[in-house]
Amino acid sequence: MKRDRNTAGWVRIRLLVVLQSVMTVELVFLLSEGLWASAVWLLAIMAITSAPALLGDRLPVRIPPEYEILAILFVFASLFLGEFRSYYERFWWWDIALHATSGLLLGILGFLLVYVFNENKRIDLHMRPGFVALFAFFFAIGVGTLWEILEFAADRIFGTRMQKPMLGDASGLTDTMWDLIVDVLGAAAISVFGWWNMKRNERSFIEVWIDRFVERNPGMFRG
């Protein structure tokens, strides 16, 4: 397991270096063109993706490298590629793919939160697998719904274009409904996968990652 952790840490560092280099090139271009607002926004993205690695143990919660890799890739794909490189407009499936991914990631986070709330990493001894999977599912759906509300509010209040209107639907309702449908499918997939492994008493990658989270944050758990 220690070797796996070292491998994940190695991948995280090199991935971060590559992505930061790509964004630095874009930043130089923005500054040379005098696009100051975009440059500030890009700097914020660079800060978000590098914060866990830079802050390290100073964070209140120590994040395992596996979680960091997924978070970094998701932020890069959604904010940098999606917004700056216009992947949302260039590829019709980009937004759908990201929402499916967010459903999976939020489902994993839902499993983790059950462990945290129960304050014991062996919660399968106290809660039925069906309940744990159901909690993870509805947690992912709840966060996805809140995000859609945020997109709607931002578009109406600040005039942004977070909702991506589809052909023949200027209101953005179709985009919102497809986003929610894909969120549900992603959350359902990871929840069923977690439930199936818990029922069969088999260790999945979800449990491995959660064990590493518990190991790095012993103060959040009793035993």
Side-chain angles (χ1 to χ4, degrees), residues 85-102:
R85 307 308 300 172
S86 301
Y87 274 35
Y88 290 125
E89 287 75 28
R90 294 167 61 184
F91 305 104
W92 64 267
W93 48 266
W94 193 256
D95 189 45
I96 295 176
L98 287 177
H99 274 277
T101 303
S102 70

Side-chain angles (χ1 to χ4, degrees), residues 5 17 32 35 39-41 44 49 72 78 82 94 102 108 114 149 179 184 188 192 199 201 203 205 208 213-214:
R5 290 198 300 268
V17 169
S32 66
L35 302 174
V40 171
W41 177 231
T49 54
I72 291 170
S78 59
W94 193 256
S102 70
I108 294 173
V114 174
I149 294 174
D179 288 348
V184 168
V192 170
K199 286 284 290 184
N201 291 319
R203 284 178 59 80
F205 72 93
V208 172
F213 181 88
V214 173

Side-chain angles (χ1 to χ4, degrees), residues 10-123:
W10 182 89
V11 172
R12 179 199 61 180
I13 294 299
R14 280 151 183 78
L15 174 66
L16 190 58
V17 169
V18 171
L19 298 187
Q20 291 292 329
S21 299
V22 172
M23 289 187 284
T24 298
V25 173
E26 180 74 13
L27 178 63
V28 171
F29 170 77
L30 294 175
L31 292 175
S32 66
E33 294 292 320
L35 302 174
W36 310 115
S38 296
V40 171
W41 177 231
L42 181 55
L43 282 172
I45 297 175
M46 295 173 70
I48 292 172
T49 54
S50 61
L54 293 177
L55 295 178
D57 295 340
R58 286 174 288 183
L59 290 172
V61 176
R62 300 184 62 186
I63 306 173
E66 294 86 356
Y67 290 92
E68 289 188 33
I69 291 172
L70 292 176
I72 291 170
L73 286 174
F74 187 81
V75 171
F76 182 81
S78 59
L79 297 183
F80 180 73
L81 294 179
E83 298 294 343
F84 276 92
R85 307 308 300 172
S86 301
Y87 274 35
Y88 290 125
E89 287 75 28
R90 294 167 61 184
F91 305 104
W92 64 267
W93 48 266
W94 193 256
D95 189 45
I96 295 176
L98 287 177
H99 274 277
T101 303
S102 70
L104 293 172
L105 296 179
L106 289 171
I108 294 173
L109 181 58
F111 279 100
L112 173 61
L113 286 177
V114 174
Y115 278 63
V116 174
F117 292 154
N118 195 70
E119 297 184 335
N120 191 310
K121 65 179 181 179
R122 298 299 299 268
I123 66 154

Side-chain angles (χ1 to χ4, degrees), residues 168-200:
D169 176 33
S171 68
L173 176 60
T174 302
D175 172 73
T176 298
M177 292 308 301
W178 273 114
D179 288 348
L180 290 175
I181 290 171
V182 174
D183 285 343
V184 168
L185 293 176
I190 198 65
S191 298
V192 170
F193 175 79
W195 169 81
W196 179 251
N197 279 276
M198 292 174 69
K199 286 284 290 184
R200 300 178 63 184

